[in-house]
Amino acid sequence: MIDSLYSEIAAFRPLCEQEQRDREQMLRCIEQYDNILLRDNDLVHMTASAWIVNPQRDRVLMVYHNIYKAWSWVGGHADGDPDLCAVALREAREETGLAHLTLAQEGIFSLESVCVLPHVKRGSYVSSHIHLNATYLFLARESEPLRHKPDENSAVAWLDREQSVGQCPEAHMIPIYSKLWARL
């Protein structure tokens, strides 16, 4: 199971130094930790995100994240599933209400290691840790009905580049969102 994930990440061709270094880190962590797919590993674990764009690729679907108080891409924890594309798709549907999503590119669109600050989730303290994240590119129609997931986000909206990057209050996410826009 984990071998297929390792192979997918190893086959990914980085387009920048950040992805090269993060890819190397991911491969080392997969080799080192037998619980890399589980939140039980409270230092570092795998996650998947969906970068959902409209067919014109000039707007991205984001959620207003309750914990971070910021517009965010959608995604979540692997929770034992080595098929990170399936994880990204599941999370996209759960967090946005979209029923119709199309994978716009086979394989991983982007890789990033994301530092997660300490926070409280569902009444429990979560220590800082690292999300080893694979991002997948999806297309969706802006006309499709949306709904937010109240336990995770308070809004879902289509945003242009300036709204998603220029107004992002999370300094560490600006380079990631900028990179994803540049890839389009």
Side-chain angles (χ1 to χ4, degrees):
M1 289 175 26
I2 197 75
D3 292 341
S4 62
L5 176 59
Y6 187 94
S7 296
E8 183 180 17
I9 292 170
F12 175 78
R13 295 294 156 232
L15 297 179
C16 61
E17 183 180 10
Q18 169 265 309
E19 287 183 336
Q20 175 64 36
R21 289 180 182 254
D22 288 352
R23 179 177 157 268
E24 291 167 4
Q25 180 186 46
M26 288 178 189
L27 294 172
R28 281 193 316 273
C29 286
I30 291 170
E31 291 169 355
Q32 183 176 356
Y33 297 108
D34 61 358
N35 63 346
I36 198 70
L37 293 173
L38 300 170
R39 289 183 240 197
D40 294 350
N41 185 328
D42 61 358
L43 297 175
V44 59
H45 45 259
M46 300 301 302
T47 60
S49 293
W51 189 246
I52 305 168
V53 296
N54 64 359
Q56 298 80 18
R57 296 182 182 213
D58 61 358
R59 291 169 60 86
V60 63
L61 189 62
M62 298 184 93
V63 297
Y64 193 81
H65 202 284
N66 291 341
I67 292 174
Y68 304 114
K69 306 289 187 234
W71 288 101
S72 174
W73 56 8
V74 299
H77 294 90
D79 288 333
D81 188 348
D83 184 348
L84 295 185
C85 186
V87 171
L89 180 60
R90 180 183 67 242
E91 292 290 332
R93 288 180 172 147
E94 287 177 4
E95 293 181 30
T96 67
L98 286 173
H100 305 289
L101 287 153
T102 303
L103 188 62
Q105 170 187 307
E106 287 297 318
I108 296 170
F109 182 60
S110 176
L111 288 176
E112 41 280 317
S113 292
V114 179
C115 295
V116 179
L117 297 175
H119 59 276
V120 174
K121 185 172 185 175
R122 295 184 182 104
S124 295
Y125 180 80
V126 178
S127 297
S128 60
H129 59 280
I130 298 173
H131 283 173
L132 301 177
N133 191 71
T135 301
Y136 296 84
L137 180 63
F138 292 93
L139 294 174
R141 295 184 321 268
E142 288 183 73
S143 60
E144 188 167 344
L146 303 173
R147 72 167 163 68
H148 69 281
K149 187 174 182 227
D151 65 325
E152 291 187 23
N153 62 66
S154 55
V156 181
W158 288 96
L159 306 176
D160 63 25
R161 183 184 182 116
E162 175 57 29
Q163 293 167 316
S164 63
V165 177
Q167 298 176 24
C168 181
E170 297 178 288
H172 68 288
M173 295 304 295
I174 293 172
I176 293 171
Y177 295 156
S178 295
K179 175 186 70 167
L180 295 171
W181 275 107
R183 291 256 163 96
L184 295 177

